[in-house]
Amino acid sequence: MKALQILIVLAVGYLLGSVLPALIIGKMVNGIDIRKYGSGNPGTTNVLRTLGIGPAILVFAIDVLKGVVATLFAKIVMPDDVVLGVTLAGFAVIWGHTFPLYFGFRGGKAAATSIGVALVATPTITIVVIALALIVLAIKRYMSLTVIVGSILYFFAVLIFEREYWFLALIILVVIIVRHRENIKRLLNGTERKVGERVKLQ
């Protein structure tokens, strides 16, 4: 029975994660594949730069919601082992966002989806980390730096206060660092774009 529960949680999480609102909204609003513009990432920041704040807010909300729904679903399906269920669901929905079934396995960096997962798993820690990360964003105006710092803070905060979710926090940290490796290079050489810079579609 538990094996079936695990399979259901993984499947639902991955299929939810594979829905990429940035690609769908890009097609609907401008008829474009967002992966061909700006940074090429189908995520909130690139949508903000290419399509504007309205579509970006919508993309962010849906990506966060994916993480929330997947992990809440896991709590329902695996009520006797919530930590395992949430961790598996978190991994699956993040993996789906990163390697989406519906879009040629070319997905995003999973920052917003990770926030949704973390909000269900460790809400208090997540809210505090978001607040601290926003300070970094306000000072430096680099979204990539903000996300990276946030994932590091989250990992160590979970180790201290919510240790049962350490593996989930590690998954989030590793995915964020790996998926932002090009951003890290640009940050180091001073070529990373700041929040607010627009990309021309023509």
Side-chain angles (χ1 to χ4, degrees), residues 5-199:
Q5 292 172 319
I6 289 172
L7 183 61
I8 291 171
V9 165
L10 288 173
V12 170
Y14 177 72
L15 293 174
L16 272 175
S18 291
V19 177
L20 297 187
L23 291 177
I24 297 169
I25 292 170
K27 288 287 186 182
M28 291 175 61
V29 173
N30 278 73
I32 64 169
D33 183 338
I34 199 76
R35 294 173 296 188
K36 296 180 180 178
Y37 296 87
S39 67
N41 180 58
T44 302
T45 304
N46 200 33
V47 171
L48 177 63
R49 291 189 182 122
T50 55
L51 301 179
I53 190 167
I57 291 173
L58 184 56
V59 167
F60 177 77
I62 295 172
D63 278 339
V64 171
L65 187 62
K66 291 190 308 188
V68 170
V69 171
T71 44
L72 286 178
F73 178 77
K75 282 189 170 186
I76 294 170
V77 174
M78 300 181 66
D80 297 326
D81 203 342
V82 169
V83 173
L84 177 61
V86 168
T87 300
L88 290 172
F91 167 77
V93 72
I94 290 169
W95 191 259
H97 182 89
T98 307
F99 301 103
L101 177 65
Y102 318 124
F103 299 102
F105 303 101
R106 292 174 54 216
K109 299 177 182 178
T113 300
S114 295
I115 290 174
V117 171
L119 280 170
V120 174
T122 56
T124 302
I125 289 175
T126 304
I127 291 169
V128 172
V129 168
I130 289 172
L132 294 173
L134 287 175
I135 294 173
V136 175
L137 181 62
I139 295 172
K140 295 295 186 179
R141 292 182 54 218
Y142 291 114
M143 183 59 73
S144 57
L145 179 63
T146 300
V147 171
I148 292 165
V149 170
S151 66
I152 294 170
L153 290 174
Y154 180 71
F155 175 70
F156 284 106
V158 168
L159 280 184
I160 295 170
F161 299 108
E162 297 270 4
R163 192 168 295 180
E164 65 269 26
Y165 283 109
W166 73 270
F167 191 63
L168 176 62
L170 180 62
I171 291 169
I172 291 172
L173 175 62
V174 170
V175 170
I176 293 298
I177 296 297
V178 171
R179 297 296 286 177
H180 284 81
R181 59 191 182 279
E182 295 300 322
N183 301 86
I184 293 171
K185 291 179 184 177
R186 289 194 293 269
L187 285 167
L188 291 174
N189 63 31
T191 58
E192 180 76 333
R193 287 193 181 99
K194 293 187 175 183
V195 171
E197 296 181 20
R198 292 299 299 268
V199 172

